[in-house]
Amino acid sequence: MNLPDFGIPNLTKNCNEILILTILFKEKKHGYQLALEIEERSNGSFKFNHGTLYPILHKLEKEGLIKGTWKQEGPKRKRKYYSITAKGKKYAKKQLEEWQKFFKNFFNITGEIEK
Amino acid sequence: MKQFTPILKRINKRLNLPQPTKSRIILEIACDLEDAYNFYLEKGMSEEDAIKKSGEKFDLTGEALDELVIVHQTLFRKFLDKIAGQTQSLWERIILCFVFLIIVVLSAQTFIFTPFFLHASKFVWPSLGIFFSVIILSLPKFFYLYIKKDHQLAKLYKGLHSILFLGVINLSIGVFGYLKELYSAGVSGLFFISYLGFLVNWHVPGSDNNLVNITQWMIKSSSLVMFCILVTIFTSAIWFFLLNKITKIEQAESMYLLQ
């Protein structure tokens, strides 16, 4: 399992990935629920176009980090719910460590402003 | 969901992916769009504003669409979707059914009216087992598709590719069995010497027995290969037919949303 490159160009992508995986730790959700919860829990800081959500979800599913299952909701309505896999949990924990390192380094530099 | 038809049509047009992947993505977006729409309505927006706002939220950018295409285009998936979508016209289906019917009639005649299985290699039995497994796996799907008419795609898709997998296993048994019989005949009767003798009409000591060995090998292996090929054709045809039907149901569901 390779961790993503933490270079500046990939930050947004990595950030979205870890946010999605974190939300799915608790319970399975569909795409819109995920986007909504991220927005609400971040007090609107992570507002992203829902359209960008699908490539991330499908990529995570393809990599086996999350699992998508279709559920019948009423006679003509079907929803795709996503749940995190064991591999996804392991990946999320490792990625979180990378984020912690990243922010530590970030504040090491920006902390000089306060001095 | 009809209010989102223009948005879904736009995505459908720009999403360069084969079916049924495309339909699945559109179905997923359509449900989320509806939820977003209801959310904005609950927030007190007018219907028109709610449609506009949810449409803006779910507008897939060119970059996002490209990423989706990259994620989904694996070589195997591309291959599967391509074959399933190929027999669309009536004449193609008629030819396919005709070929299938000829194979069934001719093979049934050989298997029932001749002592085929008595002469065949022992490897024909696992192949026969696969044949019955394919029937057992596909019968419930035919039942749900045509008798009960319960078109729950998850249920229909479950185990579908196992049918194709069994076909591949069956073909491998045929190839392995053929080589095993050839090896056995070679070991037990100095196959190559007698075969050469047989061809140039030499008399090699013990070649009479070897001739029997060769003949037995020919019967055993040819019947095995024949049976394995027929079971593989049957398995592939069943898989192909079911996949085509299920894919069409799935496409029809998403077309309903786009109309």
Side-chain angles (χ1 to χ4, degrees):
Chain A
M1 186 168 43
N2 293 327
L3 282 172
D5 177 17
F6 261 76
I8 298 291
N10 291 327
L11 273 185
T12 318
K13 212 173 111 229
N14 293 339
C15 177
N16 289 338
E17 274 186 19
I18 186 78
L19 287 173
I20 289 168
L21 290 171
T22 309
I23 299 291
L24 291 176
F25 251 82
K26 213 165 58 182
E27 58 183 326
K28 59 180 178 184
K29 288 193 185 294
H30 56 72
Y32 180 67
Q33 281 177 325
L34 273 167
L36 209 63
E37 193 166 333
I38 290 170
E39 258 185 47
E40 278 176 5
R41 282 176 62 181
S42 67
N43 296 320
S45 294
F46 299 109
K47 238 182 212 171
F48 56 93
N49 184 321
H50 296 0
T52 57
L53 189 73
Y54 300 107
I56 304 165
L57 282 172
H58 289 226
K59 183 183 157 272
L60 292 174
E61 190 186 6
K62 198 110 186 170
E63 287 169 354
L65 303 173
I66 60 172
K67 194 182 168 223
T69 36
W70 288 92
K71 203 174 152 193
Q72 195 81 30
E73 283 183 354
K76 286 214 165 177
R77 196 180 148 96
K78 258 191 310 182
R79 303 266 1 198
K80 194 176 184 186
Y81 280 86
Y82 293 97
S83 56
I84 192 164
T85 61
K87 189 181 170 189
K89 284 181 182 173
K90 215 169 143 188
Y91 175 85
K93 280 174 188 164
K94 277 194 176 175
Q95 220 200 33
L96 186 66
E97 282 170 21
E98 291 299 312
W99 274 104
Q100 282 164 343
K101 264 189 235 167
F102 175 84
F103 279 115
K104 198 181 157 206
N105 295 334
F106 178 80
F107 288 119
N108 273 346
I109 299 168
T110 53
E112 286 177 12
I113 297 169
E114 286 177 355
K115 288 174 192 171
Chain B
M1 249 186 245
K2 301 272 183 200
Q3 60 269 44
F4 304 116
T5 304
I7 301 165
L8 295 172
K9 267 189 176 165
R10 208 166 48 235
I11 296 171
N12 184 55
K13 205 174 162 187
R14 288 157 64 202
L15 196 60
N16 185 22
L17 276 171
Q19 296 291 2
T21 313
K22 195 178 190 175
S23 305
R24 286 183 189 142
I25 293 170
I26 289 172
L27 210 61
E28 190 182 351
I29 296 171
C31 287
D32 285 345
L33 259 170
E34 200 185 17
D35 274 0
Y37 167 75
N38 290 332
F39 174 79
Y40 291 123
L41 279 184
E42 278 170 23
K43 274 195 157 184
M45 276 191 189
S46 68
E47 275 189 32
E48 209 174 296
D49 286 344
I51 294 171
K52 202 180 159 197
K53 183 85 178 160
S54 44
E56 280 169 9
K57 274 273 180 192
F58 282 87
D59 194 21
L60 268 87
T61 59
E63 201 185 335
L65 288 165
D66 288 345
E67 276 181 46
L68 267 173
V69 171
I70 291 165
V71 168
H72 285 282
Q73 260 186 350
T74 61
L75 222 63
F76 183 62
R77 187 85 216 180
K78 216 170 159 184
F79 168 73
L80 288 183
D81 292 340
K82 217 170 183 176
I83 323 179
Q86 269 171 0
T87 46
Q88 298 297 327
S89 69
L90 187 66
W91 68 268
E92 282 175 323
R93 268 180 251 160
I94 290 169
I95 289 173
L96 193 75
C97 288
F98 186 66
V99 170
F100 193 58
L101 202 69
I102 288 176
I103 290 169
V104 168
V105 170
L106 289 179
S107 50
Q109 209 179 8
T110 314
F111 301 145
I112 296 166
F113 300 110
T114 63
F116 182 86
F117 289 102
L118 288 176
H119 292 151
S121 156
K122 61 186 175 210
F123 285 96
V124 84
W125 299 111
S127 185
L128 193 65
I130 286 177
F131 173 73
F132 286 117
S133 306
V134 168
I135 290 177
I136 291 165
L137 272 175
S138 51
L139 271 180
K141 298 198 188 303
F142 280 105
F143 173 74
Y144 285 123
L145 277 171
Y146 295 101
I147 298 169
K148 205 177 173 194
K149 301 213 167 169
D150 176 8
H151 294 166
Q152 282 188 43
L153 292 169
K155 203 190 274 178
L156 293 169
Y157 266 116
K158 201 177 173 187
L160 183 66
H161 294 314
S162 309
I163 295 174
L164 187 67
F165 179 69
L166 283 172
V168 175
I169 296 273
N170 179 65
L171 204 61
S172 312
I173 289 173
V175 173
F176 179 77
Y178 176 85
L179 294 172
K180 174 73 178 58
E181 293 298 345
L182 176 65
Y183 174 78
S184 302
V187 167
S188 67
L190 293 169
F191 173 84
F192 291 107
I193 294 169
S194 68
Y195 189 59
L196 282 172
F198 171 67
L199 283 178
V200 296
N201 208 14
W202 286 345
H203 183 76
V204 179
S207 62
D208 292 343
N209 278 341
N210 294 336
L211 190 62
V212 173
N213 282 337
I214 295 167
T215 317
Q216 275 179 344
W217 167 70
M218 279 176 173
I219 294 171
K220 277 183 176 182
S221 53
S222 60
S223 51
L224 169 70
V225 170
M226 197 166 85
F227 187 74
C228 282
I229 288 173
L230 283 171
V231 172
T232 306
I233 292 172
F234 173 78
T235 307
S236 316
I238 293 282
W239 168 80
F240 178 76
F241 184 79
L242 285 171
L243 185 68
N244 231 353
K245 180 77 188 166
I246 298 168
T247 309
K248 273 182 188 160
I249 291 169
E250 197 171 26
Q251 281 172 16
E253 276 188 13
S254 70
M255 282 315 288
Y256 171 79
L257 295 170
L258 294 175
Q259 275 163 12

